[in-house]
């Protein structure tokens, strides 16, 4: 097996992230050769998407911050909620950024020189992050601002819908 090739001199997916969002008429801020930040209007509130490229690992990382500031003192509820939510996710995970007092969805992609579908993978990564943040926003909101018990807040999200109303 050949050693992995470094994508750094050939490819920087941050350029492609910029292309994806500029084609959708989003504003973004390039914070360096390997970082870009985009503000996206979500269903419930604005989200900040932070992308970082780590060339030595051939890894593109996305953090999606939801604008919900906690008002509860009991941090154990936050961590219980994170554990319950993350049990249900197939890709990515939620964590809590204590510095900003806000939940964040994180996901990473490993890319290599033989990969033909960079753009599709990055677009899928973006769609997953936004979808999961919008799906879980109401749950985080009632736990972080109203102090609702995590299991109670999450219960409606975990129910299977059968049929059509």
């Amino acid at each position: 097996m050949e050693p992995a090739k470094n994508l750094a001199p050939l490819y920087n997916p941050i350029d492609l992230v910029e292309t994806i969002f500029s084609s959708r008429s989003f504003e973004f801020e390039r914070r360096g050769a390997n970082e870009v930040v985009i503000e996206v209007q979500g269903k419930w509130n604005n989200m900040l998407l932070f992308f970082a490229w780590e060339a030595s690992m051939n890894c593109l990382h996305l953090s999606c911050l939801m604008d919900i500031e906690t008002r509860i003192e009991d941090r154990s509820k936050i961590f219980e909620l994170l554990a319950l939510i993350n049990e249900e996710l197939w890709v990515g995970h939620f964590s809590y950024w204590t510095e900003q007092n806000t939940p964040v969805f994180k996901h990473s992609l490993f890319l290599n020189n033989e990969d033909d579908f960079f753009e599709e993978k990055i677009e899928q990564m973006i769609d997953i992050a936004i979808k999961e943040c919008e799906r879980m926003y109401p749950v985080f909101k009632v736990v972080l601002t109203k102090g609702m018990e995590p299991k109670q807040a999450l219960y409606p999200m975990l129910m299977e819908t059968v049929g059509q109303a």
Side-chain angles (χ1 to χ4, degrees), residues 32-159:
N34 296 328
E35 291 184 17
V36 67
V37 179
I38 302 103
E39 186 171 0
V40 174
Q41 176 63 48
K43 180 178 178 180
W44 308 101
N45 211 334
N46 287 353
M47 294 173 274
L48 284 179
L49 280 70
F50 291 87
F51 290 86
W53 171 241
E54 179 53 58
S56 66
M57 293 175 45
N58 294 336
C59 185
L60 179 64
H61 178 79
L62 164 64
S63 293
C64 184
L65 278 73
M66 294 184 283
D67 190 15
I68 307 172
E69 195 169 316
T70 186
R71 294 190 186 113
I72 62 170
E73 297 294 324
D74 185 4
R75 299 253 173 166
S76 66
K77 284 186 180 184
I78 295 167
F79 298 111
E80 179 185 352
L81 178 60
L82 290 170
L84 292 169
I85 288 173
N86 286 331
E87 285 178 358
E88 301 301 319
L89 296 177
W90 279 69
V91 295
H93 69 278
F94 281 97
S95 65
Y96 190 76
W97 190 6
T98 53
E99 226 176 73
Q100 297 295 320
N101 289 325
T102 191
V104 58
F105 178 82
K106 297 181 177 186
H107 185 39
S108 297
L109 285 176
F110 291 99
L111 304 170
N112 63 55
N113 287 333
E114 291 78 38
D115 210 339
D116 292 329
F117 302 102
F118 288 123
E119 186 168 356
E120 291 85 357
K121 285 184 176 187
I122 293 170
E123 285 179 346
Q124 185 179 37
M125 178 185 193
I126 294 164
D127 291 343
I128 288 168
I130 292 171
K131 178 184 150 220
E132 291 299 343
C133 287
E134 288 186 343
R135 184 170 76 103
M136 290 300 161
Y137 183 92
V139 175
F140 278 112
K141 182 84 173 172
V142 296
V143 172
L144 298 178
T145 64
K146 307 290 187 211
M148 183 181 280
E149 291 300 315
K151 285 182 182 176
Q152 182 184 1
L154 197 54
Y155 180 74
M157 303 306 288
L158 301 179
M159 290 181 7

Side-chain angles (χ1 to χ4, degrees), residues 12-39:
N12 185 340
I14 297 298
D15 298 331
L16 186 53
V17 170
E18 279 187 338
T19 301
I20 290 168
F21 281 100
S22 63
S23 72
R24 297 178 183 183
S25 300
F26 282 90
E27 291 186 26
F28 52 85
E29 177 187 344
R30 186 82 177 238
R31 293 195 170 169
N34 296 328
E35 291 184 17
V36 67
V37 179
I38 302 103
E39 186 171 0

